[in-house]
Amino acid sequence: MSDIRTFCARNMQEALDRVRKELGSDAVILHTKQVTQRRFLPWGRPKQQVEITAGLGINLGRRPPAKPKTPLVRSAGPARDTPSAIAASRAESLAEQLARAMNGADTLSLGGAATRIARAPVDRAAPPTANPAANPTPKFPGAAAESANTTERFAAAPAPVATASASAPPHVELGEKLDAIHRLLENLGRTSHARGGDELPGELFELYAELIDAEVEDDLARDLVFRLRKHAAPEQLRDPQAARAVLAAMVEAEIACAEPIRPVPGRRKVVGLVGPTGVGKTTTIAKLAANFRLRDDVRMGLVTVDTYRVAAVEQLRTYAEIIDLPMKVVTSPPEMRRALDELSGLDLVLIDTAGRSPRDELQINELRSLLSEAEVDDVHLVLSLTSSLKSLRATAEKFASVGTNSLILTKLDEAAGMGSALSLCRSLRLPISYVTTGQDVPDDIEPANAPRLARLVLGREKIGG
């Protein structure tokens, strides 16, 4: 017997987790929609939720051609018109329609098929003394969306069972079963109709779920899936591998990458790294410096203004001594000017700044003054993908005033998913210059590459692969 339930959650990832927890990995997603839960107070802002209907015991394969059925009632003459025979025939017909709907190729369109069945007139056989108004058929509410709570109660209820007693006549029991099936179909149809344009294409739902698992925002995941359905050829949509290839190209197009730092001999380039505390700026500076000095033989120097942490200064000084680089420690704009004058004969100067709180306007202003005095050519905002997307956006907005023009994304190896990188590219419009994939100096850093980042977002490639 099928077990169909509806789950409401704040986002798609949380809803999918609930489905897996309560129904297990064999659950089948029937459809999804976004619902609006209104507040009790009139001035309260409506709350958006995601609703998933899933079930167990649902056969997704196509049924073999139906074999000729033996009539339930074999007697000839008046016996075929008895209430029991009519009710049995109607119940069998409706059961066949329900089975065909459940076995359709597009599982997510189940509600639409159920709506068509539910709207079909069904004659219920009843004794001459039965009151037709005793069990009226619920009216289909058209395009009106049903509330999340009502859907939850319906979905959590057990499958319809007969309520007739053992002594009830067969035609009464069959009629009540027919009513229960009819109500089930109407509820399925109502849910399908309510979601309207938000219905996800069934053949692409697996790709949508993969995006959600990769921490891609629900709105962005839906946009990618609907654009894929709109622009891909029908044969590509039918082929899972071809659909994945098209999706990968779309994700790649969303990711903007900046040119890596390219020193020019005889022309000094000044590059600053900024960002909040704990994102790995000093380690990233060390990786860049080691690669430029040891692999590319670039004449370069280091400047640090991270005097808030003694350990950071000593860490960078140790790296500078190992790779034989000049290093200056500054605490004010005048000292910054003198330090750069002393490093004027180099091709590249990297500036390591102190971690600043995005909420501290005074610290942000101090940082802006230091970078202005240094006359930096590029300012890279360093962000850790282990932070929440909301925090990353807020940080980028606050640091924009210091002149950031590209992103360095760190700790990819520690992030739960790469989807936040995709969302950042779309919302911030800042290209990615470098990504770091571990703590090893100088190995775990690489210039940003859109095809590789797209594969990482989609889980087609792993860190270190």
Side-chain angles (χ1 to χ4, degrees):
M1 181 177 294
S2 300
D3 181 8
I4 300 175
R5 306 184 195 177
T6 298
F7 303 87
C8 288
R10 292 173 300 177
N11 52 56
M12 180 58 67
Q13 182 63 57
E14 185 176 322
L16 289 173
D17 290 341
R18 288 189 58 191
V19 171
R20 294 189 187 100
K21 181 178 180 181
E22 297 192 23
L23 296 181
S25 59
D26 294 331
V28 175
I29 303 299
L30 299 179
H31 58 75
T32 67
K33 71 173 182 178
Q34 289 181 315
V35 296
T36 301
Q37 186 179 34
R38 298 196 173 276
R39 304 285 190 177
F40 291 106
L41 299 177
W43 55 85
R45 186 177 181 181
K47 182 180 179 182
Q48 294 293 328
Q49 287 188 317
V50 175
E51 182 180 289
I52 291 183
T53 298
L56 283 175
I58 298 175
N59 180 15
L60 298 182
R62 295 186 178 276
R63 291 170 61 88
K67 297 179 180 180
K69 295 185 177 294
T70 303
L72 289 180
V73 181
R74 296 179 178 274
S75 58
R80 287 196 301 266
D81 298 326
T82 63
S84 298
I86 295 175
S89 177
R90 292 294 183 183
E92 181 183 21
S93 174
L94 190 57
E96 289 178 3
Q97 296 179 66
L98 177 59
R100 285 196 295 272
M102 297 292 284
N103 289 323
D106 186 356
T107 306
L108 293 179
S109 298
L110 169 64
T115 303
R116 294 192 295 273
I117 298 173
R119 286 176 172 172
V122 179
D123 296 330
R124 291 169 173 74
T129 58
N131 182 5
N135 189 18
T137 301
K139 293 183 179 180
F140 185 75
E146 104 182 299
S147 68
N149 291 337
T150 303
T151 307
E152 187 79 24
R153 288 195 300 271
F154 155 69
V161 296
T163 58
S165 64
S167 60
H171 60 270
V172 174
E173 184 176 352
L174 286 172
E176 291 180 351
K177 288 182 179 179
L178 201 62
D179 286 335
I181 295 175
H182 199 165
R183 286 194 297 270
L184 172 63
L185 290 172
E186 282 194 333
N187 275 293
L188 289 172
R190 185 183 302 119
T191 307
S192 173
H193 194 80
R195 68 179 183 264
D198 290 333
E199 182 179 355
L200 285 165
E203 67 275 13
L204 301 178
F205 186 82
E206 185 176 349
L207 296 180
Y208 168 75
E210 290 175 3
L211 290 172
I212 294 298
D213 284 339
E215 302 293 323
V216 177
E217 286 185 297
D218 180 73
D219 289 344
L220 178 53
R222 284 176 175 271
D223 178 64
L224 289 170
V225 169
F226 280 113
R227 283 168 49 201
L228 173 61
R229 183 178 65 173
K230 180 179 179 181
H231 297 295
E235 57 272 14
Q236 290 175 318
L237 296 179
R238 289 191 294 267
D239 183 353
Q241 294 302 321
R244 280 181 167 80
V246 176
L247 180 62
M250 294 171 58
V251 171
E252 180 180 334
E254 293 278 343
I255 300 175
C257 293
E259 285 288 325
I261 300 171
R262 298 189 184 280
V264 177
R267 179 182 178 275
R268 188 183 67 180
K269 189 179 187 69
V270 180
V271 178
L273 270 64
V274 301
T277 58
V279 296
K281 290 188 301 299
T282 302
T283 304
T284 301
I285 282 270
K287 292 174 181 177
L288 290 171
N291 278 284
F292 284 124
R293 183 73 180 94
L294 301 178
R295 296 182 180 177
D296 301 331
D297 197 24
V298 174
R299 297 185 307 128
M300 62 170 300
L302 301 176
V303 174
T304 179
V305 293
D306 193 357
T307 56
Y308 291 92
R309 296 185 305 131
V310 176
V313 175
E314 293 306 319
Q315 178 186 6
L316 195 59
R317 192 188 304 277
T318 300
Y319 284 127
E321 291 175 354
I322 292 174
I323 56 181
D324 192 22
L325 292 179
M327 174 180 160
K328 303 295 180 181
V329 180
V330 303
T331 59
S332 64
E335 289 183 6
M336 175 69 77
R337 184 166 52 251
R338 287 194 297 270
L340 287 175
D341 287 341
E342 294 174 5
L343 300 174
S344 59
L346 303 178
D347 297 329
L348 176 65
V349 176
L350 297 178
I351 300 177
D352 181 25
T353 63
R356 309 285 177 156
S357 170
R359 300 180 181 179
D360 193 325
E361 291 293 338
L362 179 59
Q363 288 186 349
I364 296 295
N365 291 335
E366 290 176 353
L367 179 60
R368 182 167 59 247
S369 298
L370 284 166
L371 294 177
S372 176
E373 195 66 40
E375 297 181 351
V376 293
D377 297 288
D378 294 313
V379 180
H380 297 252
L381 175 60
V382 184
L383 296 176
S384 169
L385 278 190
T386 59
S387 302
S388 68
L389 183 57
K390 181 179 179 180
S391 174
L392 293 174
R393 283 175 172 157
T395 300
E397 180 181 349
K398 294 297 183 180
F399 277 92
S401 62
V402 305
T404 54
N405 55 12
S406 62
L407 291 173
I408 295 179
L409 300 180
T410 64
K411 304 184 180 181
L412 269 63
D413 55 314
E414 301 177 24
M418 285 284 296
S420 53
L422 186 62
S423 299
L424 281 176
C425 287
R426 170 173 282 200
S427 58
L428 299 185
R429 302 298 179 186
L430 281 177
I432 304 172
S433 55
Y434 291 90
V435 296
T436 72
T437 57
Q439 297 296 317
D440 290 344
V441 178
D443 297 324
D444 293 336
I445 188 170
E446 57 188 79
N449 178 272
R452 171 162 162 78
L453 290 177
R455 292 192 296 270
L456 290 172
V457 168
L458 297 173
R460 317 281 170 77
E461 192 171 309
K462 302 298 182 182
I463 298 297

